[in-house]
């Protein structure tokens, strides 16, 4: 914790220090009022008049009957956590002022604890009711929604317990309250007043806790969205109009910051990019259709974002888990706001210059991603992983060479370090150190710079990419890593890793495999199979066999979803020596092995 505050302080501007001082003393004042039994916020009289004038955003997706039955039965537990432990941890701090709760003192990953309090299970049930013209058993679902929502409000009084700790979580809950008041008709007048009061309280608290300066990110967007909904409902009050204006202004200001000109994510996380895009689509629909604010540039920028994500989607609909992922949703699992979807006219090789990725689609159903972008969003790069020059590959919609995922944020620091670290990604680690320095579970220092040096056609039908990064130039004896990727015959790849610098170092090349694959050794080659799809991978001795080495089998970790980790197989090659004497050349053939003579000819091109 001391390290966290030290790094934050080092990077803070005078304006940010002043802002955080105001937050600190403001929270102290609110705490004093609550502890002394005084209400810090006066809620105006509740009314449905403004709410009824609002047009709800259009949502897409379909909620199945089995999902509703699971909710009624008390499942699923969010984030694969023990429901008993979740309830125990929540009850232990439920009556504390939220600012007094220390995350490290909670017995469970607080991210999992927060997930259930987003109340998105109620959104699913509400949308299930809304999508049915005639529902014979609607009464039990309505009772479930009503009792769950009112019980939550009763068990979590304003500013008490862990669910008011993060203003982001408050922002996401406000839309649930709005949908409940809009779509459900079994609340009494007093109960509707209670929900209105919660909306006002949430908006009031968010406005005093907005994530600004070095904390700008997807949290800010959730808070801004909450202010937009709360402000629209209370727009007849001075404070409500202020929330609406501030929320819509923040969304407009952050649009071109969060979504880069090529449509990519500033946070270098594909999961959070989906999350951010959905927050914006939801806000765009709500603001535009109700005439509540200007949305200049929203449609064009968001469409660019959709095109970016579509480029990463393989034939099975999978998107590699690049960067952090907590499996969060802007609305609810399986539900999304109305979007503009891009046309499926993909180029074989497409480079996103601003975000730093190249995606290659082969003629036989393979998709390779090549990361030559920055670590993440400065100044702390919180959701980025140290994966410069890493690749992933899927074949016929099945993941083969994988990004390892995230696993979890809190409670197991050694695994947090592993999943963020360079060794867990399909690139080269030097001296067993990450390409940047992990200061805390989220904060990086000494960030690397990565560059795409060239992208061109070679040898008639092949395409060559070359990129480099300077993450290891921080060493006393610095090293620069350069990776070239040659795409040839519309389905195969050669990957060449070279180095420059000084000193003697240990160079470790890793390829992480999906846990579902089977792997067989054929001399110095490995056959990797999943279902009916298979590929072969091996190192090519460009100079001498002892220089190039071979790929040997090891064990790593893979996280398919937040809170889950599984053992997986990885292929590794190690060399120790001077940078200029070390080279790795990997052949990746996405069906049968290419004739060695053909490979020898192509190696000369890289």
């Amino acid at each position: 914790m001391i390290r966290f505050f030290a790094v934050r302080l080092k990077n803070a501007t005078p304006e940010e220090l002043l802002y955080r001082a105001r937050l600190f003393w403001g929270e102290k004042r609110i705490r004093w009022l609550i502890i002394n039994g005084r209400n810090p916020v006066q809620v105006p009289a509740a009314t449905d008049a403004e709410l009824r004038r609002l047009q709800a955003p259009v949502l897409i997706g379909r909620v199945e009957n089995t999902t509703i039955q699971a909710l009624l039965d008390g499942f699923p537990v969010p984030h694969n956590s023990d429901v008993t432990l979740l309830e125990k941890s929540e009850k232990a701090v439920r009556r504390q002022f939220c600012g007094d709760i220390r995350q490290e003192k909670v017995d469970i990953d607080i991210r999992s604890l927060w997930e259930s309090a987003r109340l998105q299970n109620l959104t699913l049930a509400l949308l299930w009711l809304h999508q049915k013209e005639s529902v014979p058993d609607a009464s039990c679902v309505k009772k479930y929604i009503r009792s769950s929502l009112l019980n939550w409000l009763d068990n979590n009084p304003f500013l008490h317990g862990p669910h008011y700790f993060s203003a982001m979580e408050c922002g996401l809950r406000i839309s649930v309250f709005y949908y409940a008041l809009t779509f459900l008709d079994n609340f009494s007048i007093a109960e509707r007043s209670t929900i209105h009061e919660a909306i006002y309280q949430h908006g009031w608290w968010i406005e005093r806790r907005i994530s600004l300066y070095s904390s700008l990110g997807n949290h800010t967007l959730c808070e801004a969205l909450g202010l937009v909904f709360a402000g629209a409902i209370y727009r007849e009050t001075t404070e409500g109009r202020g929330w609406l204006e501030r929320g819509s202004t923040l969304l407009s200001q952050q649009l071109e910051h969060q979504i880069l000109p090529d449509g990519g994510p500033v946070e270098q996380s594909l999961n959070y990019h989906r999350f951010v895009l959905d927050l914006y689509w939801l806000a765009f629909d709500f603001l535009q259709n109700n005439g509540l604010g200007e949305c200049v540039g929203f449609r064009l920028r968001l469409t660019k974002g959709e095109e970016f994500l579509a480029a990463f989607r393989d034939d099975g609909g999978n998107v590699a888990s690049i960067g952090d992922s907590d499996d969060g949703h802007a609305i609810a699992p399986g539900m999304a706001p109305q979007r503009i979807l891009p046309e499926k006219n993909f180029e074989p090789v497409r480079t996103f210059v601003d975000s730093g990725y190249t995606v290659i689609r082969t003629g036989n159903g393979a998709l390779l991603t090549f990361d030559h972008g920055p670590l993440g969003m400065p100044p702390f790069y919180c959701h980025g992983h140290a994966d410069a020059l890493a690749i992933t590959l899927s074949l016929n919609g099945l993941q083969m060479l994988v990004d390892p995922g995230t696993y979890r944020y809190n409670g197991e620091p050694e695994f947090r370090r592993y999943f963020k670290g360079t060794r867990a990604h399909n690139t080269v680690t030097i001296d067993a150190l990450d390409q940047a320095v992990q200061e805390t579970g989220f904060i990086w220092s000494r960030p690397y710079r990565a560059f795409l040096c060239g992208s061109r056609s070679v040898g008639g039908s092949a395409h060559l990419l070359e990129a480099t990064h300077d993450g290891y130039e921080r060493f006393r004896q610095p090293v620069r890593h350069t990776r070239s990727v040659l795409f040839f015959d519309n389905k195969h790849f050669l990957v060449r890793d070279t180095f420059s610098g000084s000193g003697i170092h240990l160079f470790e090349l890793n390829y992480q495999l999906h846990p579902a694959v089977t792997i067989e050794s054929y001399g110095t080659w490995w056959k990797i199979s999943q279902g009916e799809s298979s590929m072969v991978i091996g190192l090519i001795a460009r100079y001498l066999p002892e220089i190039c080495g071979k790929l040997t089998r090891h064990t790593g970790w893979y996280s398919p979803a937040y809170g889950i980790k599984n053992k997986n197989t990885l292929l590794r090659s190690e060399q120790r020596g001077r940078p200029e004497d070390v080279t790795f050349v990997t052949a990746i053939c996405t069906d049968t092995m290419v004739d060695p003579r053909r490979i020898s000819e192509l190696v000369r091109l890289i």
Side-chain angles (χ1 to χ4, degrees):
M1 185 60 68
I2 294 175
R3 183 64 179 169
F4 170 81
F5 285 113
V7 176
R8 295 295 296 261
L9 184 63
K10 180 181 178 181
N11 286 273
T13 63
E15 293 80 8
E16 178 172 3
L17 291 175
L18 181 61
Y19 177 71
R20 296 197 179 281
R22 287 202 302 266
L23 293 183
F24 176 81
W25 290 112
E27 182 179 302
K28 290 292 184 183
R29 176 182 175 277
I30 292 168
R31 180 181 184 275
W32 183 87
L33 290 171
I34 288 177
I35 289 177
N36 286 276
R38 299 172 66 178
N39 191 348
V41 53
Q42 298 301 314
V43 180
T47 174
D48 281 339
E50 294 304 318
L51 184 139
R52 291 195 182 101
R53 295 190 185 101
L54 295 172
Q55 181 178 329
V58 175
L59 303 180
I60 58 176
R62 185 166 185 83
V63 185
E64 300 300 329
N65 294 341
T66 51
T67 300
I68 296 303
Q69 190 58 55
L71 293 177
L72 295 177
D73 292 341
F75 297 98
V77 176
H79 286 291
N80 311 293
S81 301
D82 185 306
V83 64
T84 303
L85 186 56
L86 275 175
E87 292 175 350
K88 178 184 176 182
S89 300
E90 184 180 52
K91 288 178 180 179
V93 294
R94 181 173 284 172
R95 297 301 168 181
Q96 291 184 34
F97 174 67
C98 60
D100 292 340
I101 298 170
R102 296 290 171 261
Q103 293 188 43
E104 64 272 15
K105 300 297 183 181
V106 179
D107 293 336
I108 200 168
D109 183 350
I110 201 164
R111 174 64 189 86
S112 297
L113 197 61
W114 286 341
E115 178 68 18
S116 62
R118 290 183 176 180
L119 305 179
Q120 293 181 344
N121 57 319
L122 305 187
T123 304
L124 285 173
L126 284 162
L127 295 177
W128 180 82
L129 288 172
H130 192 60
Q131 75 189 15
K132 303 283 186 178
E133 292 183 2
S134 177
V135 186
D137 53 348
S139 59
C140 63
V141 178
K142 289 182 178 182
K143 289 178 182 177
Y144 162 78
I145 299 168
R146 174 181 169 273
S147 62
S148 297
L149 180 52
L150 295 174
N151 285 341
W152 189 91
L153 290 172
D154 185 55
N155 290 328
N156 295 275
F158 184 50
L159 298 185
H160 290 81
H163 304 309
Y164 296 95
F165 185 91
S166 170
M168 168 190 183
E169 303 302 316
C170 295
L172 290 172
R173 270 196 299 274
I174 289 178
S175 62
V176 182
F177 299 152
Y178 164 76
Y179 284 122
L181 290 174
T182 301
F183 294 151
L184 211 60
D185 59 5
N186 63 335
F187 292 117
S188 68
I189 294 175
E191 289 166 349
R192 293 185 71 84
S193 179
T194 297
I195 300 169
H196 271 287
E197 182 178 11
I199 291 173
Y200 192 91
Q201 290 171 334
H202 276 58
W204 183 90
W205 180 237
I206 292 168
E207 203 271 337
R208 286 156 176 79
R209 304 295 301 173
I210 296 177
S211 303
L212 298 176
Y213 298 100
S214 61
S215 295
L216 281 167
N218 64 78
H219 284 229
T220 313
L221 304 182
C222 293
E223 293 153 11
L225 183 68
L227 288 179
V228 164
F229 273 94
I233 294 167
Y234 279 95
R235 62 191 181 279
E236 289 302 303
T237 69
T238 301
E239 187 128 29
R241 287 192 296 273
W243 298 342
L244 180 57
E245 181 179 358
R246 190 169 194 192
S248 58
T249 298
L250 272 173
L251 289 168
S252 295
Q253 289 174 343
Q254 285 298 301
L255 179 66
E256 294 187 0
H257 177 224
Q258 295 294 323
I259 305 170
L260 299 173
D262 63 9
V266 70
E267 293 193 280
Q268 294 291 303
S269 162
L270 299 192
N271 176 272
Y272 277 108
H273 199 39
R274 175 72 277 158
F275 184 64
V276 164
L277 288 173
D278 282 349
L279 291 171
Y280 267 110
W281 283 122
L282 189 63
F284 175 62
D285 190 335
F286 190 64
L287 287 168
Q288 180 175 257
N289 290 340
N290 290 294
L292 296 174
E294 294 292 331
C295 299
V296 177
F298 275 45
R299 185 187 299 271
L300 179 60
R301 202 68 161 199
L302 297 181
T303 302
K304 281 280 190 182
E306 295 296 340
E307 290 174 354
F308 176 90
L309 275 184
F312 284 78
R313 194 168 293 116
D314 67 18
D315 292 349
N318 305 303
V319 174
S321 300
I322 295 171
D324 268 349
S325 172
D326 65 1
D327 298 341
H329 303 274
I331 299 169
M335 304 304 299
Q338 188 169 240
R339 308 165 178 159
I340 297 176
L341 300 180
E343 296 180 5
K344 295 182 178 180
N345 52 350
F346 302 119
E347 306 166 31
V349 180
R350 184 168 184 183
T351 294
F352 296 92
V353 176
D354 302 298
S355 48
Y357 295 96
T358 295
V359 181
I360 301 176
R361 290 181 182 270
T362 73
N364 65 333
L367 185 145
L368 179 139
T369 70
F370 182 29
D371 184 345
H372 43 78
L375 176 59
M377 184 175 69
F380 299 125
Y381 315 92
C382 293
H383 288 305
H385 290 187
D387 55 359
L389 311 191
I391 64 171
T392 69
L393 188 142
S394 66
L395 183 58
N396 298 321
L398 301 172
Q399 299 176 75
M400 307 296 256
L401 302 180
V402 296
D403 185 289
T406 298
Y407 178 45
R408 60 186 297 178
Y409 289 157
N410 308 294
E412 296 188 57
E414 68 281 8
F415 280 108
R416 177 64 173 151
R417 294 184 66 85
Y418 171 82
F419 281 98
K420 289 177 60 182
T422 303
R423 178 177 257 183
H425 296 85
N426 301 322
T427 185
V428 176
T429 303
I430 300 179
D431 293 340
L433 295 173
D434 293 329
Q435 296 161 340
V437 177
Q438 296 195 41
E439 297 287 355
T440 71
F442 286 96
I443 297 175
W444 292 93
S445 67
R446 306 297 296 272
Y448 55 77
R449 294 175 298 169
F451 310 91
L452 181 64
C453 306
S455 176
R456 65 187 188 276
S457 296
V458 294
S461 62
H463 194 99
L464 179 63
L465 299 160
E466 184 178 82
T468 186
H469 81 85
D470 63 2
Y472 293 118
E473 290 190 356
R474 72 180 190 272
F475 289 178
R476 184 174 60 85
Q477 295 179 311
V479 182
R480 177 174 284 266
H481 174 201
T482 298
R483 170 167 279 188
S484 301
V485 176
L486 182 72
F487 173 44
F488 67 96
D489 293 351
N490 198 30
K491 58 183 176 180
H492 304 306
F493 304 91
L494 287 176
V495 180
R496 175 185 179 231
D497 294 292
T498 57
F499 310 89
S500 61
S502 60
I504 303 295
H505 302 273
L506 175 64
F507 299 82
E508 179 185 303
L509 170 67
N510 287 303
Y511 289 110
Q512 302 280 345
L513 308 180
H514 192 277
V517 306
T518 58
I519 180 169
E520 302 172 76
S521 175
Y522 292 89
T524 59
W525 291 78
W526 294 88
K527 181 179 180 182
I528 301 164
S529 304
Q530 187 176 172
E532 297 182 357
S533 299
S534 64
M535 54 182 277
V536 290
I537 182 171
L539 288 184
I540 306 300
R542 183 174 184 184
Y543 302 110
L544 297 172
E546 61 268 23
I547 291 178
C548 191
K550 64 179 181 178
L551 289 167
T552 57
R553 186 170 182 164
H554 297 269
T555 300
W557 292 98
Y558 174 76
S559 177
Y562 194 89
I564 299 177
K565 69 179 187 299
N566 298 321
K567 288 283 189 179
N568 74 309
T569 299
L570 66 92
L571 298 176
R572 173 179 295 162
S573 180
E574 295 181 354
Q575 297 181 48
R576 181 180 292 277
R578 293 176 301 190
E580 63 270 21
D581 294 333
V582 175
T583 300
F584 299 103
V585 181
T586 311
I588 302 173
C589 307
T590 59
D591 50 22
T592 58
M593 190 173 71
V594 176
D595 188 319
R597 291 170 296 183
R598 168 75 170 145
I599 292 180
S600 297
E601 294 173 2
L602 292 166
V603 164
R604 289 195 289 270
L605 297 177
I606 58 173

